[in-house]
């Protein structure tokens, strides 16, 4: 293998730059050339690609977002779009591809491999941390810390005004951010898509808390489980408490990546190059029990990542 391509695709996540940097430098270390593909599969189709060198990834490890930019590409889901992308594979002499993104991006990589035989390796990059088979995906740690930072600030006002706050966080299909940030932020209740919730039970807990002198309450809601606004309205109707709602939205996704995200992203990017050089394809790299591993892409598609029930139980116990 003489030349590989690297792209970031799907939603951006802090730490993607560290992964790109690791891919480029690890490849160059092994004498392999790297073509950077801008704007995910859109750039792949349009030939928006460029040769990267050691300097191309200088001064980016601490930056959020992705210097390669990212996109969602409708055209790549069509055979015609992928045919255009393949013409660029030939034009640029790419012999292997590293795709940093979520499971949608991996599906695209798999389809492309099946059609054109290009070896592909996925690197999990999504703040939701919902990719099956890996304990960790790039950006999750920074996102959780962003949410905890927001909860800390909201808590000041919640205490001062003796109010109930509902904080809606990201997580369309998974409650990993809500659960970890809720536990770290000392939330009273955490509402996640994986577990049905009973608003009356949540309200009873709030009422019990007020009875024993609690000054404030914070409820975390993952966007995929319920709308924060609806939850706030219901709490207000049932308890009569003045309830404020904050929707954190894209604030969660940006910002300086944490050291954990930088180090893990570097490990994963480096591993992806190794996996390609060893001649594998249709793999994804990941982290299991603090070890960097790789496994079949199918495992991502065929499984759903389970929530950590120990964390869930603990969050319930600690917020009685
Ligand atoms: P996030 O977790 O942030 O949503 P993602 O990688 O899952 O990231 P998607 O929008 O689902 O984001 O996928 C990114 C891109 O991958 C899509 O815009 C599309 O171009 C490509 N893709 C997804 N599924 C397929 C598929 N079945 N066939 C071909 N391409 C696909």
């Amino acid at each position: 293998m003489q030349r590989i391509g690297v792209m970031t695709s799907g939603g951006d996540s802090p730490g993607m730059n560290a992964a790109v940097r690791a891919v480029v430098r690890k490849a160059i270390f092994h004498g392999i050339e790297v073509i950077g593909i801008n704007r995910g599969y859109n750039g792949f189709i349009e030939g928006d690609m460029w040769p990267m060198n050691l300097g191309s990834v200088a001064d980016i490890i601490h930056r959020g977002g992705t210097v390669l930019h990212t996109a969602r590409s409708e055209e790549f889901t069509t055979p015609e779009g992928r045919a255009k992308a393949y013409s660029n594979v030939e034009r640029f002499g790419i012999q292997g591809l590293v795709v940093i993104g979520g499971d949608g991006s991996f599906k695209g990589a798999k389809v492309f491999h099946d059609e054109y035989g290009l070896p592909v390796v996925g690197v999990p990059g999504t703040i939701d941390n919902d990719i099956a088979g890996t304990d960790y995906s790039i950006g999750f740690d920074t996102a959780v810390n962003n949410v905890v930072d927001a909860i800390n600030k909201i808590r000041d006002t919640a205490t001062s005004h003796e109010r109930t706050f509902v904080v809606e966080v990201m997580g369309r299909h998974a409650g990993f951010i809500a659960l970890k940030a809720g536990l770290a932020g000392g939330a009273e209740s955490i509402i996640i898509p994986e577990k049905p919730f009973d608003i009356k039970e949540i309200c009873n807990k709030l009422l019990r808390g007020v009875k024993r002198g609690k000054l404030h309450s914070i409820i975390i809601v993952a966007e995929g489980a319920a709308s924060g606004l609806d939850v706030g309205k219901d709490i207000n109707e049932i308890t009569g408490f003045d309830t404020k709602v904050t929707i954190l939205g894209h604030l969660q996704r940006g910002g300086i990546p944490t050291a954990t995200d930088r180090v893990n992203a570097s490990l994963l990017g480096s591993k992806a190059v190794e996996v390609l050089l060893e001649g594998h394809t249709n793999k994804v790299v990941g982290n299991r029990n603090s070890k960097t591993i790789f496994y079949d892409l199918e495992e991502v598609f065929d499984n759903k990542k389970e929530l950590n029930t120990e964390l869930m139980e603990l969050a319930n116990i600690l917020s009685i």
Side-chain angles (χ1 to χ4, degrees):
M1 196 168 279
Q2 298 296 308
R3 191 176 293 163
I4 62 171
V6 59
M7 71 164 76
T8 49
S9 168
D12 68 306
S13 62
M16 277 182 162
N17 281 330
V20 171
R21 175 177 177 269
V23 168
V24 171
R25 294 204 168 161
K26 178 71 174 250
I28 291 173
F29 176 81
H30 286 289
I32 310 293
E33 292 171 1
V34 183
I35 301 294
I37 302 161
N38 288 339
R39 297 180 297 112
Y41 292 120
N42 276 342
F44 204 27
I45 289 169
E46 292 163 19
D48 186 3
M49 296 147 71
W50 51 291
M52 300 181 82
N53 58 35
L54 292 174
S56 314
V57 288
D59 206 25
I60 66 167
I61 194 164
H62 59 297
R63 278 158 59 185
T66 157
V67 292
L68 289 179
H69 302 271
T70 185
R72 301 185 199 275
S73 170
E74 205 39 55
E75 200 179 352
F76 195 75
T77 62
T78 66
E80 296 76 23
R82 294 193 293 274
K84 285 188 202 164
Y86 188 68
S87 69
N88 290 317
V89 166
E90 288 187 313
R91 192 171 133 221
F92 284 85
I94 291 174
Q95 296 160 317
L97 178 66
V98 177
V99 176
I100 304 165
D103 58 348
S105 302
F106 297 168
K107 276 188 196 130
K110 164 91 173 59
V111 170
F112 195 70
H113 169 270
D114 292 350
E115 281 174 353
Y116 294 104
L118 183 74
V120 294
V121 175
V123 177
T126 167
I127 62 164
D128 289 341
N129 203 26
D130 58 352
I131 294 180
T134 176
D135 297 340
Y136 164 86
S137 72
I138 296 169
F140 175 63
D141 190 66
T142 306
V144 167
N145 279 290
N146 284 342
V147 174
V148 173
D149 188 40
I151 295 174
N152 292 341
K153 289 170 179 156
I154 286 167
R155 187 182 277 275
D156 289 345
T157 303
T159 312
S160 306
H161 286 266
E162 303 181 21
R163 271 183 190 151
T164 301
F165 266 84
V166 173
V167 182
E168 185 188 297
V169 304
M170 282 183 169
R172 273 169 300 164
H173 308 292
F176 294 99
I177 292 178
L179 180 55
K180 199 159 182 189
L183 183 60
E188 271 57 44
S189 293
I190 303 168
I191 300 175
I192 50 174
E194 291 87 343
K195 203 168 167 259
F197 70 102
D198 180 350
I199 193 72
K200 288 206 185 98
E201 240 174 61
I202 290 172
C203 289
N204 285 338
K205 196 176 188 181
L206 291 176
L207 288 163
R208 283 198 305 273
V210 168
K211 240 188 193 161
R212 64 176 174 81
K214 227 175 162 128
L215 293 182
H216 62 259
S217 296
I218 292 172
I219 319 291
I220 305 294
V221 185
E223 62 184 341
S227 135
L229 288 170
D230 289 347
V231 171
K233 201 163 134 269
D234 290 348
I235 291 175
N236 177 260
E237 274 169 16
I238 296 171
T239 63
F241 296 161
D242 184 11
T243 307
K244 302 290 179 201
V245 178
T246 304
I247 297 168
L248 294 183
H250 284 85
L251 278 179
Q252 294 158 84
R253 219 147 85 178
I256 297 171
T258 60
T260 296
D261 271 328
R262 297 182 203 187
V263 171
N264 283 343
S266 301
L267 285 166
L268 295 182
S270 160
K271 186 75 175 177
V273 174
E274 259 172 55
V275 169
L276 277 180
L277 292 186
E278 283 166 10
H280 301 287
T281 183
N282 281 341
K283 301 289 176 194
V284 56
V285 294
N287 178 293
R288 253 179 241 169
N289 302 322
S290 303
K291 292 222 156 50
T292 312
I293 47 132
F294 69 96
Y295 53 102
D296 291 340
L297 269 177
E298 271 79 8
E299 267 191 61
V300 174
F301 310 138
D302 297 346
N303 298 291
K304 185 169 162 45
K305 187 167 166 181
E306 298 292 329
L307 210 66
N308 183 331
T309 48
E310 188 188 356
L311 283 191
M312 192 70 214
E313 281 160 19
L314 184 61
N316 276 334
I317 291 169
L318 300 186
S319 62
I320 44 170

